[in-house]
Amino acid sequence: MSTPLAAPDRAPAGDRATGPVATVRRLVPPGLLFALPFLVLFALFMVWPLVHGAWMSLTDTSLSAHDPSFVGLDNYAEALGDADMWQAVGNTVWFTAVSTVPLVAVALAMALLVHTGLPGQWVWRLAFFAPYLLPVGVIGLLWGWLYQPDLGLYNHLLQAAGLDGFAWLSDKDVALHAIVVATLWWTVGFNFLLFLAALQAVPDHLYEAAALDGAGAWRRLWHVTLPQLRRITGVVTVLQILASLKVFDQVYLLTKGGPDGATRPVVEYLYDVGFTGYRLGYASAISYVFFALVVLVSAVQFAAFRRREK
Amino acid sequence: MLRASLASAAALLGGGALAGCGAAAASDPDTVRMWDLFSGADGALLDELIDIAAPDMPGTDVDRTVLEWGTPYYTKLAMASAGGRGPDVAVCHMSRLAGYAPLGLLDPWDTGLLAEFGVREADFADAVWQRTRYRDQTYAVPLDTHPFIVFFHPEPARKAGLLTRDGGLDLDAFSSPARFLEAGRELARATGKQGIAFGYVNDTAQCWRLFYGLYRQTGNDFDLPVGGTVTADTDAMAEVISFMTKLVGDRANPHRLDYPAALASFTNGQTGMILSGEWELGTFRAADPDLGAASFPTVFGTPAVYADAHSFVLPRRPDPDEAHRRRTHQAVAAVLKAGQTWAKAGHIPAYQPVTRTRAYARLEPQARYVTAADHVVLDPPVWFAGAGSDFQNAMSQVLQQALLDGLAPDRAARAMVDRINTALSQPSPA
Amino acid sequence: MTFADLRTRPARPTVSPLPAARRARRGAQRGPNLTLGPTRTARALGLAALAVLAVIWLLPMAWAVLTAFKSEQDASDPVHWIWPQAGFTLDGFRTVIERGDLPLWMWNSFFVSAAVTLVTVAVSAAAGYAFSRTVFRGRRVLFALTIASVLVPPQMLIVPWFQQMLTLNLVDTYAAVILPQTVAPVMVFILKKHFDTIPRELEEAARLDGAGHARIFWSVMMPLSRPMLAAVSIFVFIGAWNNFLWPFVSTSDPALMTLPVGITAVKDAYGVNYAQTMASSVLAALPLVLVFVFFQRHIVKSVATTGLGGQ
């Protein structure tokens, strides 16, 4: 109440002096009061879980009713020697690498094509973006059915073309890539929209200048459009990499991480360890390993970005 | 003032009210909420079973929820139990009990109350009842035993000279690895096609089921001290793996079948026999009304039949309602007593007053393998083993490499021991 | 209907004789920058490429719809896999709806998503305002903390969240599903940036009238922020509607499950029925896809404005 800025709703000065509400108002700066609801939720469901998770990773907490005991860094030591965890880290990195490229490139191609103004705008946008709106449960059921070895669409189509079908989700060498394809289908629309919005924002005068110079369509694409999209491509790639690192849903629903862990990402491993294996303490340690991975990748990207900006 | 913060505060309070709402929904006094993992024919049969049991549980509704079988089921059950708002009763494989009861995720049954409703310890096979106990309490009420057995088509089996005079399988013809393989060849000659089917490719349990039953037939077992290392007879393990490899590698038998393909090869008559869980009885009999079955033959000297058992458990409740618990006990007792119906699915009812009836003795082919219950071996009672566990999957993957990719039996045995030791090195969550 | 709406720059100079409204509507169709050029071959090639992509993208959905209208026998007929022998039927849909849990999960999803959206947007807008327009001790540190926490993947919090819900005795309640989803530092950041762009002069008049922060926030900032709040709300709602991992971890009781969790966790008691599975998938997909068809412009805009910060 000390600054005129904070004068509240025309309340008479006399009323302000009494009552608990007035006391709170007098003691707490109004700005803090605005931020408070968020800060409370933030403290409860972000800061506290982070701290408590770190503590749990130093204990042998389990799903049981028994009291946990402190085990120091045992969980981290175990994680470093845990072949299953490294397999999961490997799968996650591989999934990220293999999924990011098409998720950015195909989205860009789609956006460039749609942006040319060819007829049927509404249909293209619906076709490319609608899958993104499907709940992942539907993705699991739908792609499980598409990939069904005997009755699924894709093996039918392959066989109609005279080719052998795949054991899409049960062949170790195929399963992760099959999931990448499903992921591409599901989420490419999101990046597509981001590119499309960026294309709309390219200033017209650049094209007009290029046209005056007699530049053809391809030259305009290479010398105007793509350079203008460089920044947004970088941002989309960064976001995509981070999103891919966090993959869980579709893998869990399609293969449960199988066959024999060949598709299991880190997030599923921490779920499996914590809830299927009841070892919440160890799962917390895996959570922090996962966090370290995310931070590491973010830092590398940040450094790369800064270098390019220079 | 500050409507935004008030609104969010109100929403938070609303959240608290909603919490109460969720709990209230859980406690309809007449309804026993049950979770199970029976889909398909088993699921329909359980509905029938509950209908038949209805007169024995007047006024009670059983509300079933069928969850996805395997690991997801046990994960959800454990999490719901930990939360204290789980179902009133749940179906649980007995092999999983070792991972559940010590965690404090289950409440014990009141045996006095069960006795009041006509279900007593004496009504169960001793070996089965022992597995329901933890620290002098009963944590599971067995519904059935479901062994891993053999099914055959009687026609080719008779032609191959593998039947006894009363139409049962001549188990002597399978009493050693060499004889077993020879029987397969004779069956192949009799069908004009192939002999014995076993589906295991990419399966998370089948290899383990076959292996562990046979390994126990050698008279050995695993000693599994958590935190220590396994004591096992790797020679015996290699011997069993070697037999399994020869079995699926024999020219008379199909080589690389996955589970559904194995079912198909037996139902369409391509093979004369299949090594399978009895739960496929319904599928097989639909294809062959004269279907024959027998307890798994003793190949390595000591009778042992791999099996598991479905049982009822009580997910933990911090403050259970006494009257409702009583109703739950009554409902479970009623379902057990209606077990004759459950036998239609092929399962051996655990409640023995049912299997001792004349009506049961007339059940074909169920009565042919009821003796399997006398020699059942369940998964080792250790926290990480049991139906739908990662452990079964890990074991099956190693075995599959031996059967499919030519990993030598002794090396496969050592790889299994390594994987077991990895599991043992993890601290038990209990 | 078009991306023209997204432009923040002044309308481009144009030689088109069309009236302004029609120009605006056709803007995206004609496009100011025909990267493929005007030649017929180029247009044909572009159309062909688009058509191929669209077919690839629509095929899975068509297959799902086709299966959903088949009988179970036809759905699992390996020979006549396209056209059903017994004709089309609504049996799959009927069975799924009669079973009754799908509408329940839809309601749960709607309730949870609406609650998450309401709380998130209200709380984030207030915090965004506080960080943008007020002065209090610790403001910078708190804002920096908020920004830093964008790095924290929510997936790593499922274990402590679950433990927290155990402690609060909230496992298997709506509150458990909703509460952790309401912390959205990105939204605070986006809204703070948005408030920063609103000229301070607009508040001056109100301030001279003696209005405090509450009045300014409610009567000045909120009306000016409607499009932004709509964009953020849509984004949060879609995110909550499709969220899987935490609802999946925090609910085991099928009566409390959201749509994506329920349709995958609970199995029909009568075996694998592809037609029914696809019927429930189609029904589950319907709400948001319908919303998209009718509100395409708003959703597109929401993703474009919020998506870069929000993925």
Side-chain angles (χ1 to χ4, degrees):
Chain A
M1 298 298 111
S2 52
T3 67
L5 276 183
D9 331 341
R10 281 187 238 155
D15 290 0
R16 248 184 278 156
T18 55
V21 175
T23 316
V24 168
R25 277 202 202 172
R26 207 167 41 238
L27 293 179
V28 185
L32 190 57
L33 224 47
F34 269 88
L36 207 56
F38 169 75
L39 291 175
V40 168
L41 289 176
F42 185 74
L44 274 176
F45 300 111
M46 175 70 79
V47 179
W48 170 249
L50 274 175
V51 174
H52 189 228
W55 162 251
M56 277 164 75
S57 76
L58 305 176
T59 69
D60 63 355
T61 309
S62 79
L63 211 50
S64 76
H66 308 295
D67 287 334
S69 47
F70 183 79
V71 297
L73 293 174
D74 282 8
N75 286 327
Y76 290 95
E78 183 181 343
L80 288 181
D82 182 346
D84 290 341
M85 192 203 75
W86 288 112
Q87 185 189 25
V89 169
N91 290 338
T92 307
V93 171
W94 180 242
F95 175 87
T96 304
V98 182
S99 65
T100 300
V101 174
L103 273 166
V104 174
V106 174
L108 180 59
M110 283 173 167
L112 286 171
L113 281 168
V114 170
H115 189 63
T116 53
L118 290 163
Q121 292 289 315
W122 192 85
V123 178
W124 312 134
R125 256 179 279 155
L126 184 69
F128 301 150
F129 185 67
Y132 179 74
L133 294 171
L134 304 186
V136 68
V138 172
I139 301 299
L141 298 177
L142 171 58
W143 283 82
W145 173 224
L146 288 164
Y147 282 149
Q148 214 281 343
D150 301 315
L151 303 167
L153 176 67
Y154 290 139
N155 274 355
H156 275 319
L157 291 176
L158 286 177
Q159 276 148 16
L163 301 165
D164 280 346
F166 287 102
W168 295 96
L169 298 172
S170 52
D171 181 332
K172 270 184 205 180
D173 301 324
V174 180
L176 193 62
H177 301 99
I179 292 172
V180 169
V181 170
T183 308
L184 176 68
W185 181 83
W186 179 33
T187 62
V188 76
F190 187 84
N191 293 346
F192 158 72
L193 281 194
L194 295 181
F195 276 123
L196 208 46
L199 278 170
Q200 311 268 291
V202 176
D204 288 348
H205 64 81
L206 294 180
Y207 290 107
E208 282 149 18
L212 286 179
D213 288 349
W218 284 111
R219 289 211 26 198
R220 287 206 297 270
L221 175 66
W222 283 110
H223 294 287
V224 180
T225 312
L226 291 182
Q228 286 287 314
L229 289 182
R230 191 176 288 162
R231 217 191 90 78
I232 184 78
T233 309
V235 174
V236 170
T237 308
V238 166
L239 291 175
Q240 185 57 56
I241 287 176
L242 288 176
S244 288
L245 283 175
K246 299 171 192 166
V247 66
F248 168 82
D249 305 359
Q250 63 270 44
V251 181
Y252 180 80
L253 292 172
L254 285 171
T255 64
K256 299 273 176 322
D260 200 19
T263 59
R264 179 158 69 179
V266 182
V267 177
E268 191 192 325
Y269 189 58
L270 80 87
Y271 172 84
D272 285 350
V273 165
F275 297 115
T276 304
Y278 321 131
R279 297 181 61 203
L280 298 176
Y282 187 44
S284 299
I286 307 281
S287 298
Y288 270 85
V289 171
F290 169 58
F291 189 33
L293 181 70
V294 171
V295 170
L296 184 75
V297 171
S298 306
V300 169
Q301 289 180 329
F302 186 68
F305 236 71
R306 286 220 355 214
R307 249 194 18 222
R308 211 188 301 164
E309 303 272 285
K310 274 181 195 167
Chain B
M1 66 160 281
L2 295 186
R3 286 197 219 176
S5 52
L6 284 180
S8 47
L12 277 176
L13 290 175
L18 291 170
C21 162
S27 54
D28 175 1
D30 296 338
T31 304
V32 171
R33 294 183 316 141
M34 176 167 96
W35 281 11
D36 64 73
L37 31 63
F38 299 117
S39 58
D42 276 3
L45 201 59
L46 186 58
D47 279 344
E48 196 182 323
L49 184 60
I50 290 169
D51 283 346
I52 291 172
D56 274 348
M57 43 173 171
T60 302
D61 274 335
V62 176
D63 177 23
R64 286 181 62 203
T65 299
V66 185
L67 294 166
E68 187 177 358
W69 189 91
T71 315
Y73 178 82
Y74 285 105
T75 309
K76 276 275 162 247
L77 185 58
M79 290 166 75
S81 305
R85 283 194 188 82
D88 299 316
V89 60
V91 169
C92 176
H93 283 96
M94 205 97 93
S95 59
R96 292 295 292 234
L97 211 59
Y100 264 70
L103 283 173
L105 294 175
L106 302 176
D107 285 339
W109 290 91
D110 181 340
T111 42
L113 206 49
L114 284 173
E116 192 181 315
F117 294 117
V119 173
R120 290 171 195 82
E121 180 182 342
D123 296 329
F124 300 91
D126 201 41
V128 173
W129 187 257
Q130 284 318 310
R131 289 290 290 251
T132 69
R133 308 278 289 173
Y134 172 71
R135 292 203 179 153
D136 295 333
Q137 303 261 40
T138 299
Y139 281 90
V141 176
L143 169 65
D144 66 39
T145 314
H146 46 278
F148 190 83
I149 59 168
V150 295
F151 288 102
F152 55 90
H153 296 302
E155 198 44 43
R158 181 177 335 253
K159 248 206 264 175
L162 297 173
L163 294 193
T164 56
R165 226 175 305 151
D166 70 341
L169 196 67
D170 178 12
L171 293 175
D172 274 350
F174 295 85
S175 57
S176 77
R179 285 181 168 201
F180 204 114
L181 295 173
E182 184 49 38
R185 287 175 207 129
E186 279 165 17
L187 266 172
R189 275 192 285 277
T191 55
K193 292 167 180 163
Q194 288 177 303
I196 301 169
F198 173 59
Y200 64 96
V201 175
N202 285 326
D203 195 274
T204 56
Q206 283 281 93
C207 277
W208 169 253
R209 290 177 184 138
L210 180 58
F211 168 84
Y212 189 61
L214 290 171
Y215 177 64
R216 292 291 297 270
Q217 288 188 355
T218 65
N220 290 287
D221 196 355
F222 294 123
D223 182 29
L224 300 165
V226 172
T229 51
V230 59
T231 312
D233 186 333
T234 43
D235 292 339
M237 288 170 73
E239 199 184 338
V240 169
I241 298 169
S242 167
F243 166 64
M244 288 168 67
T245 309
K246 282 181 193 147
L247 184 68
V248 298
D250 197 284
R251 248 199 239 157
N253 304 326
H255 181 204
R256 42 177 70 213
L257 294 178
D258 64 14
Y259 193 93
L263 298 192
S265 89
F266 181 68
T267 48
N268 65 23
Q270 175 76 20
T271 50
M273 177 180 276
I274 185 169
L275 316 182
S276 163
E278 46 74 350
W279 52 88
E280 297 297 349
L281 174 70
T283 311
F284 295 150
R285 197 162 42 191
D288 178 1
D290 300 327
L291 179 75
S295 177
F296 203 94
T298 304
V299 187
F300 289 97
T302 312
V305 179
Y306 182 78
D308 208 327
H310 294 122
S311 66
F312 293 107
V313 295
L314 293 170
R316 184 185 74 89
R317 276 287 165 76
D319 43 2
D321 176 62
E322 284 309 319
H324 199 266
R325 271 279 154 93
R326 189 181 165 83
R327 197 180 272 279
T328 306
H329 280 71
Q330 185 187 34
V332 164
V335 166
L336 287 192
K337 285 189 263 179
Q340 173 84 13
T341 304
W342 195 232
K344 278 195 216 163
H347 311 309
I348 304 174
Y351 184 66
Q352 289 185 331
V354 172
T355 52
R356 290 190 198 115
T357 60
R358 229 182 260 165
Y360 191 86
R362 280 198 298 271
L363 276 180
E364 275 287 349
Q366 286 90 328
R368 298 280 182 179
Y369 58 81
V370 68
T371 52
D374 302 337
H375 306 291
V376 293
V377 294
L378 275 64
D379 263 20
V382 60
W383 73 274
F384 50 77
S389 62
D390 282 350
F391 172 75
Q392 282 196 351
N393 184 22
M395 293 295 110
S396 298
Q397 296 294 339
V398 177
L399 287 164
Q400 181 183 312
Q401 283 179 38
L403 269 56
L404 206 54
D405 307 331
L407 178 67
D410 56 329
R411 294 182 55 188
R414 280 201 299 276
M416 286 172 77
V417 166
D418 281 350
R419 289 228 188 178
I420 295 173
N421 283 335
T422 307
L424 284 173
S425 73
Q426 294 173 358
S428 161
Chain C
M1 288 297 128
T2 75
F3 276 87
D5 307 84
L6 288 174
R7 292 187 203 149
T8 48
R9 67 210 160 79
R12 70 202 156 87
T14 174
V15 290
S16 164
L18 292 169
R22 276 182 69 193
R23 272 203 318 270
R25 191 147 34 83
R26 295 192 52 193
Q29 282 179 19
R30 289 167 38 91
N33 37 34
L34 298 169
T35 44
L36 279 174
T39 67
R40 277 174 182 231
T41 346
R43 282 178 66 86
L45 278 176
L47 264 185
L50 271 178
V52 168
L53 278 173
V55 166
I56 294 175
W57 250 257
L58 288 174
L59 208 55
M61 291 197 254
W63 174 246
V65 174
L66 181 70
T67 309
F69 284 101
K70 286 181 180 179
S71 67
E72 290 302 340
Q73 288 76 13
D74 281 330
S76 50
D77 184 335
V79 183
H80 309 95
W81 56 277
I82 303 180
W83 220 245
Q85 298 296 97
F88 292 105
T89 165
L90 287 171
D91 283 356
F93 290 97
R94 203 170 292 138
T95 318
V96 167
I97 292 172
E98 275 168 9
R99 213 159 54 215
D101 35 18
L102 199 70
L104 176 68
W105 295 328
M106 258 187 217
W107 160 251
N108 285 344
S109 262
F110 176 78
F111 177 78
V112 166
S113 310
V116 167
T117 309
L118 206 71
V119 178
T120 308
V121 174
V123 159
S124 306
Y129 179 79
F131 288 130
S132 170
R133 283 299 204 272
T134 69
V135 185
F136 57 92
R137 195 187 287 180
R139 188 183 62 126
R140 279 162 193 280
V141 177
L142 288 172
F143 188 60
L145 263 180
T146 306
I147 303 242
S149 70
V150 170
L151 261 185
V152 177
Q155 290 84 353
M156 75 172 287
L157 297 178
I158 54 170
V159 171
W161 276 343
F162 185 77
Q163 193 74 347
Q164 197 172 15
M165 295 307 159
L166 283 181
T167 316
L168 298 173
N169 194 22
L170 286 180
V171 169
D172 269 327
T173 65
Y174 284 121
V177 190
I178 294 167
L179 285 174
Q181 294 191 70
T182 59
V183 183
V186 183
M187 298 302 148
V188 175
F189 176 73
I190 289 173
L191 286 163
K192 188 235 179 223
K193 287 279 163 212
H194 161 74
F195 290 130
D196 286 349
T197 64
I198 296 181
R200 287 189 180 256
E201 295 83 66
L202 294 172
E203 302 153 56
E204 293 302 331
R207 193 162 291 144
L208 287 177
D209 277 356
H213 278 298
R215 272 276 299 280
I216 292 173
F217 176 71
W218 192 252
S219 318
V220 180
M221 302 305 255
M222 286 296 102
L224 287 170
S225 308
R226 272 200 199 121
M228 192 65 201
L229 290 173
V232 169
S233 302
I234 291 172
F235 199 82
V236 173
F237 189 93
I238 294 178
W241 180 272
N242 286 348
N243 195 2
F244 179 77
L245 180 55
W246 176 245
F248 171 66
V249 169
S250 58
T251 52
S252 303
D253 182 351
L256 289 169
M257 285 178 177
T258 59
L259 195 58
V261 179
I263 58 172
T264 48
V266 177
K267 291 286 152 181
D268 174 21
Y270 304 97
V272 187
N273 296 315
Y274 294 112
Q276 281 174 30
T277 308
M278 284 305 109
S280 56
S281 294
V282 168
L283 289 175
L286 222 46
L288 266 202
V289 172
L290 277 185
V291 168
F292 180 70
V293 169
F294 289 115
F295 299 98
Q296 198 186 101
R297 197 185 55 172
H298 296 285
I299 293 180
V300 165
K301 188 175 164 189
S302 166
V303 170
T305 48
T306 322
L308 289 180
Q311 200 172 6

